[in-house]
Amino acid sequence: DDWVKHRSADRFFRNLGSITKSGIYKSLFKEVAATTTIASFIVAWNCIFGDYQDFEFVKHAGPLKDSIIPILSLPLTPFTLASPSLGLLLVFRTNTSYQRWDEARKNWGMNINHARDLV
């Protein structure tokens, strides 16, 4: 019965409704909301005081482009220098996770085989 409920066509909407009850959602909501708010503010700021492109890729000047207020930006050098090491860290963590999962799968199979031997 649980498997039929799990594989039903409306499971997406049922899971979508239960997102706010998730422990991961509850623990990460503040950080994600703060990051989204700051990013939205920076985009709005740069659209007002700088240039922006519409959906047809036509470049427009912002309403206050010629004011003395600068646009907000970060240099790309720190991100460029940090990305290879972060990529390697992600790969190593993924490989370690897979090794742990594979070891657990082998142990579970061994337990089942020993249980069959007992019978």
Side-chain angles (χ1 to χ4, degrees):
D1 186 42
D2 288 336
W3 181 249
V4 173
K5 182 179 176 184
H6 173 70
R7 294 298 301 162
S8 67
D10 63 340
R11 70 182 184 271
F12 174 76
F13 299 108
R14 186 177 60 247
N15 292 340
L16 194 63
S18 67
I19 284 178
T20 57
K21 298 177 186 111
S22 167
I24 295 172
Y25 175 83
K26 289 177 182 177
S27 65
L28 292 179
F29 175 73
K30 291 179 184 176
E31 289 86 356
V32 171
T35 304
T36 304
T37 303
I38 292 169
S40 299
F41 173 75
I42 291 174
V43 167
W45 179 278
N46 288 342
C47 284
I48 292 170
F49 296 108
D51 295 329
Y52 65 94
Q53 288 183 349
D54 59 12
F55 291 118
E56 296 174 355
F57 301 107
V58 177
K59 196 170 187 177
H60 301 282
L64 301 175
K65 182 179 179 355
D66 294 330
S67 66
I68 60 172
I69 300 173
I71 63 170
L72 302 175
S73 65
L74 290 173
L76 290 179
T77 306
F79 302 107
T80 305
L81 293 175
S83 61
S85 59
L86 290 175
L88 286 174
L89 178 67
L90 180 64
V91 166
F92 289 140
R93 287 182 59 100
T94 304
N95 286 343
T96 304
S97 298
Y98 178 74
Q99 288 172 354
R100 291 178 68 189
W101 175 82
D102 192 46
E103 186 67 26
R105 182 186 62 83
K106 289 176 186 175
N107 287 338
W108 182 255
M110 187 174 57
N111 285 340
I112 290 192
N113 287 337
H114 286 302
R116 288 181 185 155
D117 289 343
L118 289 175
V119 174

